[in-house]
Amino acid sequence: MNSILHIKNMVCDRCLMSVENTLQQQKLKYVDISLGRIEFEKELSLEQFKLFEEALKANGFEIVAERHDKIVTDIKSIIIEWVYERKDFKNKKLSEVLSEELHYDYSHLTSIFSKAEGQSIQSFQNKIKAERIKELLEYDELNISEIADKLQFGSAAYLSTFFKKETGLNPSQYKLHHQERKSLDKL
C-alpha cells in the first residue's frame, strides 16, 4: 500500500533536492516526489515518520496535516509550476487549472487560500511572477521583451507596468539597484 505525504514550504527545485536528500539519508524508499508531495512505496512506521518529520523541520519544511493546508500547498505548487515551468495548461486561465487539478470550485479554493495565507491567490501569483521577473533580470540573458514573451505578458510595456506596481521599480531601475529577492516559500 502506497502512502502519500504533503510537505509545506516545498516550493522550488532546491527544496525538492533538499527533501530528496533527507529521504536518502533516512533510507526511505519512495515512488514519486514532486513539489509539496511525496509518494512512498509503503506506509512509514511511526518511528520513521517522527524521524522524517524532525529532519524536515530542521530544514524548514513541515508535513501538512490538515486538508486545508494540503489544498493551500497544492495551490502554491501549481502556481509556481505555472510561472516557472510554463507547464502545458493549454492556454487555460489559472482559475480553470486550479479547479480541474484540485477538483474544487475556484471560489472554494480562493476562500481556503485567503483564510490560510492572508492574501488572495491572485496576489500570491503576482508575487511569484515578480520574483521570476527579478530572477530573469538578474540573469541578464533576456531583454524585457523576451521576458514578457516568456512569461506571456503580451508586451514589454505591460510587464514593466506590472513589475513597477509589484516592486515600486521599473525593470531598468531594478537592474541598477538589485534589491534582495525573496524566497518563494516566504511569499
Side-chain angles (χ1 to χ4, degrees):
M1 179 175 123
N2 289 0
S3 175
I4 296 173
L5 285 180
H6 294 275
I7 311 298
K8 188 174 184 176
N9 299 329
M10 187 176 161
V11 295
C12 64
D13 288 339
R14 202 169 297 119
C15 298
L16 197 73
M17 289 182 349
S18 176
V19 171
E20 203 164 14
N21 287 339
T22 302
L23 289 165
Q24 291 169 356
Q25 288 168 358
Q26 296 195 357
K27 296 179 175 61
L28 297 174
K29 297 185 190 264
Y30 59 93
V31 176
D32 185 47
I33 184 170
S34 58
L35 293 178
R37 183 180 183 280
I38 304 168
E39 183 177 355
F40 291 93
E41 285 184 3
K42 61 182 182 173
E43 211 156 312
L44 301 180
S45 71
L46 186 57
E47 183 181 340
Q48 287 174 316
F49 180 86
K50 285 185 177 187
L51 288 172
F52 184 56
E53 185 176 36
E54 286 174 22
L56 287 175
K57 280 185 180 178
N59 290 311
F61 303 106
E62 289 179 50
I63 294 174
V64 177
E66 301 222 4
R67 185 172 57 98
H68 285 181
D69 289 341
K70 179 206 169 304
I71 291 170
V72 169
T73 298
D74 289 346
I75 290 169
K76 286 181 174 183
S77 294
I78 290 168
I79 290 171
I80 290 166
E81 287 178 43
W82 178 279
V83 172
Y84 274 76
E85 298 174 22
R86 298 309 304 172
K87 266 186 94 173
D88 183 21
F89 291 116
K90 297 177 178 53
N91 294 323
K92 293 181 182 176
K93 293 180 179 179
L94 180 62
S95 58
E96 292 175 85
V97 171
L98 289 171
S99 292
E100 287 174 12
E101 295 276 322
L102 301 176
H103 309 289
Y104 286 104
D105 185 66
Y106 184 70
S107 62
H108 180 66
L109 295 173
T110 58
S111 174
I112 290 170
F113 192 88
S114 296
K115 285 178 188 169
E117 294 296 307
Q119 65 180 327
S120 68
I121 289 174
Q122 185 65 48
S123 176
F124 178 76
Q125 180 190 20
N126 288 347
K127 289 175 182 174
I128 297 296
K129 281 183 178 179
E131 291 305 312
R132 180 64 170 147
I133 293 167
K134 288 178 187 179
E135 180 180 14
L136 292 171
L137 289 170
E138 288 179 20
Y139 291 163
D140 206 24
E141 294 173 348
L142 303 173
N143 65 38
I144 303 297
S145 294
E146 292 168 327
I147 294 172
D149 186 49
K150 181 178 182 72
L151 298 179
Q152 298 180 344
F153 269 93
S155 73
Y158 180 54
L159 179 141
S160 294
T161 301
F162 167 85
F163 191 75
K164 174 121 181 165
K165 182 180 174 194
E166 288 296 314
T167 66
L169 299 171
N170 67 38
S172 300
Q173 292 169 324
Y174 177 81
K175 284 179 93 167
L176 290 174
H177 301 291
H178 281 294
Q179 290 183 335
E180 191 172 310
R181 288 183 19 222
K182 295 177 183 160
S183 173
L184 296 182
D185 60 337
K186 303 287 187 228
L187 294 176

